[in-house]
């Protein structure tokens, strides 16, 4: 069974950086996508970014483009989300999730994802 472990959250001042990590294991299929989602109090869960195992395709939500970068270390089975120029509105619990097996293409819609890790809190102070 696919298991995902998110880590790296914390408290940072506006303008600062954090790197989240999602350690993944248990994939039966080689084709999958790992996505990052976030949920702030009182708000719906929002897709932030994803990366595919097949060709490394990535996608970002408009709200994080140019500030966040997703990457995949296949040797470590870990997906990273580098978050720079953080803003108070980035405060949320961040989750990683897996779309496995990946058939065709995926999206930033949470219903596309089959497996979810626990969240990690990111708090950006103003």
């Amino acid at each position: 069974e696919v298991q995902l472990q998110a880590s790296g959250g914390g408290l940072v001042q506006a303008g600062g950086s954090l790197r989240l990590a999602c350690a993944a294991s248990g994939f039966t299929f080689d084709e999958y996508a790992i996505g990052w989602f976030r949920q702030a109090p009182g708000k719906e869960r929002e897709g932030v970014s994803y990366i595919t195992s097949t060709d490394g395709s990535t996608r970002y939500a408009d709200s994080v483009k140019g500030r966040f970068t997703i990457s995949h270390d296949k040797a470590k089975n870990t997906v990273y989300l580098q978050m720079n120029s953080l803003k108070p509105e980035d405060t949320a619990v961040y989750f990683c999730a897996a779309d496995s097996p990946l058939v065709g293409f995926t999206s930033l819609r949470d219903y596309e994802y089959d497996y979810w890790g626990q969240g990690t809190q990111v708090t950006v102070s103003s």
Side-chain angles (χ1 to χ4, degrees):
E1 182 177 336
V2 175
Q3 294 188 327
L4 304 164
Q5 181 77 29
S7 62
L11 172 64
V12 64
Q13 288 188 332
S17 298
L18 281 175
R19 188 177 77 159
L20 304 184
C22 177
S25 63
F27 287 109
T28 302
F29 303 94
D30 292 334
E31 299 79 24
Y32 57 87
I34 300 289
W36 283 98
F37 294 80
R38 66 186 182 185
Q39 188 164 22
K43 294 188 176 181
E44 293 187 353
R45 188 161 53 191
E46 173 191 19
V48 175
S49 182
Y50 73 72
I51 188 166
T52 66
S53 70
T54 49
D55 59 2
S57 297
T58 61
R59 184 175 177 183
Y60 298 90
D62 289 343
S63 57
V64 306
K65 278 180 183 176
R67 301 188 298 121
F68 290 12
T69 303
I70 193 168
S71 61
H72 188 189
D73 184 335
K74 287 190 175 182
K76 295 183 178 180
N77 282 339
T78 300
V79 170
Y80 300 98
L81 185 68
Q82 178 67 44
M83 306 186 296
N84 298 329
S85 302
L86 282 162
K87 305 175 181 180
E89 51 264 42
D90 294 317
T91 295
V93 178
Y94 283 70
F95 302 88
C96 60
D99 178 359
S100 175
L102 177 63
V103 179
F105 59 92
T106 190
S107 73
L108 289 175
R109 296 182 178 89
D110 56 6
Y111 59 75
E112 298 275 7
Y113 292 77
D114 311 289
Y115 304 94
W116 291 80
Q118 91 294 354
T120 186
Q121 177 71 47
V122 171
T123 303
V124 184
S125 63
S126 57

